Amino acid sequence: VKRTGDNYGNVLKERFCDRGIKLLAALPEPYDELISAAQLSAQEISSISLKEFRHFHAFKDDMNRIAGQLKVVEERMEELRKLYASSRQKKLNEVASLASSVRDRQAQLMRLDAELQEIEKAIPFIKEALESDERKLSEASNRISSLEAEAREAASSLESERSIIKQRIGTELGSIDRLMKKLRHESPKKYALLHEYIANPGNAFIADESLEIRTILEDLRQKARKDDPERYEKAAELLRNIDFFDSLREQYKGLTNKISSIRESKSQELQPLEKEKNHLSRSVEEKHTEISQLLEKRAAKAAEKEKLAQLIATEKALLAGRLQELMQREVKLV
């Protein structure tokens, strides 16, 4: 192995040699590929960089021999290319390549057919499952609507009765509205609930657990006796009937508890149905999406199959032509 005192030059020389060996070792066997690859390899080996040119001065004689040999290779490859272009071997290679391509495409066509068949089987199966889920979803929705209607109906009469109680209390206590406003004006901070009784006496009484209204009525009765005797009678009447109104409030609270109990009971019945409905809704949506994706996939596979069939027909026609040229007789491919 020839070397020089320039270590870097030796490194470049080794790289140049390795590159050439690898290029030549990688040449393919088919003639058409071999010719093209050999010509490209010779050109690449000949194309040294300016850096390599400077350091290869010590190997000038060897590089000249390599250049001469590469020139001979290029000339022989060009001659081979021209001979091969009109040779029977090229035609045979083309026939073999076309036949191989047709076989590969036919195998691919069979795979596409199998995939399309699987899609065609899957679509009705998923549609059947979708219809089943939609029926169940409709049943669950109807059951939920029925239970909600039952709850509204059961609570409706109780709510009406409760509303009547609150309205009666509100009407009775509202009859002394002017007296309560006057009391608030005179003693605005004396009673915590006086403002609520003026704004909405029915709600205020329902919320008045400590019956502050009793003390308010006592105060009003004393003032009314001095300022407005007629009003005194109404305040006194309300004070006498305060226990009756308190019993009405207990009825109101009992009705409220019954309404809450009805709603809670129906809510417990509705929970599993709502859960089932949500699950079925998701399942229906997923199946719609899956069917849509399968239809898109089927269309894409069908288009791919049609394109592939056209390519096969084109290549088979070309293959038949090449065979006809070689055999000098009519050829039909099936």
Side-chain angles (χ1 to χ4, degrees):
V1 178
K2 189 172 182 179
R3 300 183 65 82
T4 179
D6 181 1
N7 290 332
Y8 187 61
N10 290 326
V11 171
L12 290 177
K13 186 265 293 184
E14 294 295 335
R15 290 178 181 174
F16 173 78
C17 292
D18 288 342
R19 186 169 75 243
I21 291 169
K22 288 178 181 178
L23 287 168
L24 295 173
L27 292 175
E29 292 184 6
Y31 286 138
D32 51 353
E33 296 179 20
L34 172 64
I35 292 167
S36 298
Q39 288 177 326
L40 289 173
S41 296
Q43 290 174 9
E44 187 169 343
I45 293 171
S46 299
S47 302
I48 62 175
S49 67
L50 181 60
K51 184 187 297 183
E52 289 173 327
F53 180 78
R54 289 172 178 171
H55 287 275
F56 285 175
H57 182 72
F59 307 103
K60 181 172 66 173
D61 294 339
D62 296 292
M63 295 303 295
N64 286 335
R65 283 196 299 273
I66 290 172
Q69 291 170 356
L70 285 172
K71 185 176 181 181
V72 172
V73 169
E74 289 176 340
E75 291 172 352
R76 297 293 168 78
M77 284 295 107
E78 180 60 22
E79 292 173 4
L80 180 58
R81 185 189 66 77
K82 290 177 180 179
L83 288 171
Y84 178 70
S86 58
S87 69
R88 181 179 179 83
Q89 183 63 47
K90 181 181 179 183
K91 293 177 181 179
L92 288 172
N93 288 346
E94 288 177 347
V95 166
S97 178
L98 279 170
S100 176
S101 178
V102 168
R103 285 195 300 271
D104 291 343
R105 294 191 192 280
Q106 286 177 331
Q108 187 180 354
L109 189 64
M110 291 179 64
R111 288 195 295 272
L112 280 173
D113 275 331
E115 291 173 6
L116 281 168
Q117 288 176 11
E118 290 300 318
I119 292 172
E120 293 294 347
K121 290 178 183 178
I123 289 174
F125 175 78
I126 298 172
K127 282 185 175 179
E128 183 178 350
L130 171 62
E131 290 171 0
S132 175
D133 282 352
E134 286 177 335
R135 285 194 300 271
K136 292 177 183 178
L137 178 60
S138 177
E139 292 170 1
S141 297
N142 291 336
R143 181 57 179 155
I144 288 170
S145 297
S146 176
L147 286 174
E148 290 174 342
E150 289 175 11
R152 286 193 299 271
E153 184 178 355
S156 178
S157 60
L158 298 178
E159 287 175 340
S160 297
E161 187 177 350
R162 189 178 65 169
S163 178
I164 290 170
I165 290 173
K166 184 191 288 186
Q167 184 177 4
R168 180 176 179 183
I169 294 172
T171 300
E172 291 293 331
L173 293 175
S175 64
I176 57 171
D177 178 74
R178 289 177 59 187
L179 288 177
M180 286 193 287
K181 287 180 179 179
K182 186 177 180 181
L183 180 62
R184 182 180 63 178
H185 178 72
E186 295 172 353
S187 306
K189 297 182 180 181
K190 186 174 181 180
Y191 297 105
L193 296 179
L194 184 57
H195 179 77
E196 282 75 9
Y197 270 106
I198 293 171
N200 191 318
N203 286 343
F205 186 82
I206 297 299
D208 188 4
E209 295 289 343
S210 61
L211 281 181
E212 185 179 282
I213 187 63
R214 190 192 300 273
T215 307
I216 294 172
L217 290 173
E218 288 281 4
D219 200 348
L220 287 175
R221 185 180 65 171
Q222 295 176 10
K223 291 181 180 300
R225 185 182 300 172
K226 300 176 182 177
D227 302 334
D228 191 345
E230 293 182 3
R231 291 287 183 183
Y232 159 73
E233 290 299 330
K234 187 60 182 176
E237 180 186 348
L238 291 172
L239 188 58
R240 288 194 299 271
N241 293 322
I242 196 67
D243 291 336
F244 170 71
F245 291 128
D246 192 32
S247 68
L248 289 180
R249 179 175 57 187
E250 291 303 315
Q251 290 181 38
Y252 181 94
K253 291 166 65 177
L255 291 169
T256 299
N257 291 335
K258 286 182 180 180
I259 292 169
S260 297
S261 178
I262 289 171
R263 289 174 175 166
E264 177 64 25
S265 175
K266 293 299 179 184
S267 176
Q268 291 178 359
E269 291 184 62
L270 284 168
Q271 282 179 2
L273 286 172
E274 291 285 1
K275 185 176 180 180
E276 180 184 2
K277 179 182 176 182
N278 291 336
H279 171 73
L280 288 169
S281 294
R282 287 193 298 271
S283 180
V284 165
E285 184 178 353
E286 288 170 359
K287 286 182 174 63
H288 274 298
T289 300
E290 190 173 359
I291 290 172
S292 177
Q293 290 174 344
L294 283 174
L295 291 174
E296 290 177 4
K297 188 176 181 180
R298 182 178 68 179
K301 293 289 183 184
E304 186 180 353
K305 178 183 175 182
E306 182 179 357
K307 183 178 179 181
L308 189 59
Q310 291 174 354
L311 285 172
I312 291 173
T314 300
E315 289 188 349
K316 286 179 73 175
L318 191 59
L319 177 59
R322 293 286 189 272
L323 287 170
Q324 195 163 305
E325 289 177 13
L326 286 170
M327 301 172 68
Q328 294 299 308
R329 66 180 182 180
E330 186 178 357
V331 174
K332 290 184 179 180
L333 298 178
V334 295

